[in-house]
Amino acid sequence: MLRLARLLLGVVSLLVISAAQAGQWRVVKDQAGIQVYLQTIPGSSFQAFRGVTRMRVSMPRLLALQDDVSAACAWMHACGEQKLLKHKGNVRWVYSRFQAPWPVKARDSIVQVTTLHAADGRVIRKLHGVADYLPVRPGFVRINRVEGFWQLTPRDGEIEVIYQVHSEPGGSVLAWLANGFVVDAPFNTLQALRQLAEQR
């Protein structure tokens, strides 16, 4: 099990490094200590986002805030509901419902979250959509693809937080509308999480 965890951590770390070195990311917002990058994904009309910031918080507190799945909806952008479906070892299955501007139908998603701890103190949470885990709820469109990660890295008494996701929202969504969302989602999420995490 430990060998498998190390292998998964190595794979995710390579993905993180490759994404950072690919030269395809472009800064679209740099404000309040938060940088938002976008990347065009071949074969997709929807861009990937990458948000980066630092937080003055301990690792245990930051992990606890993320692990409180229902309460986390308060700091996740456009989140209308979130609940833990299953927890087994270092893997969680999380259901999320997202608000959408009219006339777009509300979306929901089911994401498998795998938490990996590195020897250097980093924590990586791999995000993988499992759209068929549960039947689609009436009135919602299931987000049919989610791939991404959270990377939490201790740096000089702070935590560097990277939040990266590419998703396919499913149904009929104008690309320009969705690509506006991918700027707001990482910025607002990281800003709200940092504000909560740094409360004394």
Side-chain angles (χ1 to χ4, degrees):
M1 190 68 178
L2 181 59
R3 182 175 297 176
L4 177 60
R6 287 176 176 168
L7 178 61
L8 285 171
L9 181 61
V11 170
V12 174
S13 296
L14 286 174
L15 289 173
V16 173
I17 293 169
S18 298
Q21 295 177 343
Q24 300 173 339
W25 291 99
R26 63 192 186 283
V27 180
V28 295
K29 189 167 188 173
D30 188 348
Q31 183 179 325
I34 301 170
Q35 295 78 45
V36 176
Y37 303 80
L38 294 183
Q39 183 185 53
T40 300
I41 303 298
S44 175
S45 299
F46 306 100
Q47 300 179 87
F49 68 71
R50 191 170 202 246
V52 182
T53 193
R54 287 195 177 199
M55 302 183 186
R56 295 184 298 275
V57 62
S58 69
M59 185 68 81
R61 172 164 170 75
L62 187 53
L63 293 176
L65 288 172
Q66 290 192 333
D67 287 340
D68 190 347
V69 173
S70 297
C73 196
W75 51 261
M76 289 192 68
H77 177 70
C79 182
E81 176 190 4
Q82 189 162 265
K83 59 184 178 182
L84 180 66
L85 298 176
K86 183 179 177 181
H87 182 197
K88 183 178 181 181
N90 67 330
V91 183
R92 295 173 181 238
W93 288 261
V94 176
Y95 173 84
S96 303
R97 177 174 58 82
F98 298 97
Q99 302 159 353
W102 185 90
V104 177
K105 291 186 71 173
R107 261 56 185 173
D108 68 0
S109 71
I110 301 170
V111 175
Q112 177 181 295
V113 184
T114 304
T115 300
L116 306 168
H117 294 261
D120 62 2
R122 283 179 304 140
V123 177
I124 295 175
R125 292 188 143 153
K126 185 176 180 296
L127 311 175
H128 172 67
V130 283
D132 58 353
Y133 188 88
L134 288 177
V136 178
R137 291 173 57 179
F140 291 88
V141 175
R142 179 65 43 84
I143 298 174
N144 53 38
R145 180 183 177 189
V146 179
E147 296 294 340
F149 61 84
W150 286 87
Q151 178 175 272
L152 315 176
T153 306
R155 295 195 188 281
D156 303 320
E158 298 180 321
I159 305 293
E160 179 190 66
V161 180
I162 299 176
Y163 174 38
Q164 180 174 313
V165 172
H166 175 246
S167 63
E168 295 284 345
S172 178
V173 177
L174 294 174
W176 66 265
L177 181 60
N179 288 328
F181 177 88
V182 296
V183 176
D184 294 337
F187 183 85
N188 293 342
T189 295
L190 289 174
Q191 187 176 50
L193 176 58
R194 185 181 62 192
Q195 182 177 6
L196 181 61
E198 293 183 348
Q199 284 180 355
R200 301 300 180 188

